Amino acid sequence: APLLPHPLAWAPAAAAGRRGAYTGSAAEALSSGTPGGAKKLSDIAKVPLLLKESPVRVREIWLEQFRDKELVVAGTVGQDEYHIIHANATACPMFLTPIPRGEGYLNLVWQFQGDSFLYQTLESFQRGTSGAVDFGFVMFTELLGSHNLALLHGELQSGLLSKAEAARIVRFTREAYMDPARFAWVQRFNNKPREFDYEEFMKEFRPLERWNAMGSS
């Protein structure tokens, strides 16, 4: 059985537009100095040096740089995927990911703003706690035009998640926006929250099954 209630049980007035208040909280959490909320690639990398390398080499350098950092998740996103994710996430900036915990699971809610995704527990989201972010990642676009790559950089911001779980969350998020069948659930969650049935979502979207498959791939 779920550890947490239906994700929309907290907000019977969600369809009336109250969700907007929570997207505003994302802006606060992305303020300067917030882990996972870096604004520029130059904050963490030497962009002129990367510009001299091939796309393949940039990817190798990027992944190698953060491979052994326990609190950082890194990746690359191709130009086409980036544009699809950005457009779909701008239109539907919120969704949830259930994470297995013992006999049940923990629900995280994400919010998208700009090129950043922020994740917090359902409980903190319900309270409107803007600073209680457990994980966040940004897609840096400085090399999009020259290398057809966006560089993904995420940071764990609490002890709630492991690096492996954060990496799965990133993959889960990317698939949610790239797979039309999965994105239909994201659209329902954002645009028709009263029609979003949590048990139906768990049965048809099968997030836990997908989560386990990610661990074996």
Side-chain angles (χ1 to χ4, degrees):
L3 295 179
L4 298 171
H6 188 294
L8 295 177
W10 59 274
R18 286 186 56 196
R19 295 190 316 280
Y22 295 102
T23 56
S25 298
E28 285 186 291
L30 283 173
S31 61
S32 178
T34 299
K39 299 293 186 182
K40 300 178 297 181
L41 179 59
S42 59
D43 292 338
I44 55 176
K46 296 179 180 179
V47 179
L49 296 182
L50 290 177
L51 286 170
K52 296 178 181 179
E53 303 289 349
S54 68
V56 172
R57 183 59 184 143
V58 166
R59 183 178 187 277
E60 291 174 348
I61 293 171
W62 187 252
L63 296 180
E64 180 65 28
Q65 180 177 353
F66 300 108
R67 180 171 290 125
D68 298 326
K69 296 192 176 181
E70 294 183 5
L71 301 180
V72 177
V73 174
T76 59
V77 180
Q79 185 178 52
D80 291 343
E81 181 183 357
Y82 166 79
H83 287 303
I84 292 172
I85 290 176
H86 188 274
N88 287 345
T90 298
C92 299
M94 297 171 59
F95 200 48
L96 63 137
T97 174
I99 300 171
R101 279 289 189 274
E103 296 300 316
Y105 35 88
L106 169 73
N107 281 310
L108 293 187
V109 176
W110 77 62
Q111 301 178 74
F112 174 79
Q113 185 166 328
D115 284 307
S116 298
F117 288 89
L118 297 177
Y119 302 78
Q120 62 187 130
T121 64
L122 180 62
E123 292 98 326
S124 64
F125 180 79
Q126 289 172 330
R127 295 193 299 267
T129 309
S130 62
V133 175
D134 297 291
F135 175 61
F137 76 84
V138 61
M139 297 180 293
F140 293 114
T141 61
E142 283 87 337
L143 301 184
L144 205 57
S146 59
H147 289 63
N148 295 323
L149 280 179
L151 300 181
L152 188 153
H153 181 269
E155 290 191 28
L156 293 160
Q157 302 178 28
S158 72
L160 182 67
L161 304 167
S162 68
K163 178 172 180 173
E165 287 175 328
R168 291 191 197 187
I169 288 171
V170 171
R171 290 182 60 183
F172 186 94
T173 303
R174 292 169 69 164
E175 290 184 1
Y177 288 114
M178 291 299 295
D179 184 318
R182 296 179 185 279
F183 183 54
W185 283 97
V186 182
Q187 290 176 304
R188 187 184 305 181
F189 185 85
N190 283 268
N191 300 328
K192 299 179 179 179
R194 290 187 181 278
E195 297 179 14
F196 185 91
D197 183 275
Y198 186 71
E199 297 302 327
E200 184 183 1
F201 159 71
M202 294 297 291
K203 180 180 178 181
E204 295 189 15
F205 194 99
R206 296 181 295 181
L208 300 185
E209 179 179 312
R210 184 71 199 109
W211 181 272
N212 292 330
M214 288 177 185
S216 61
S217 59

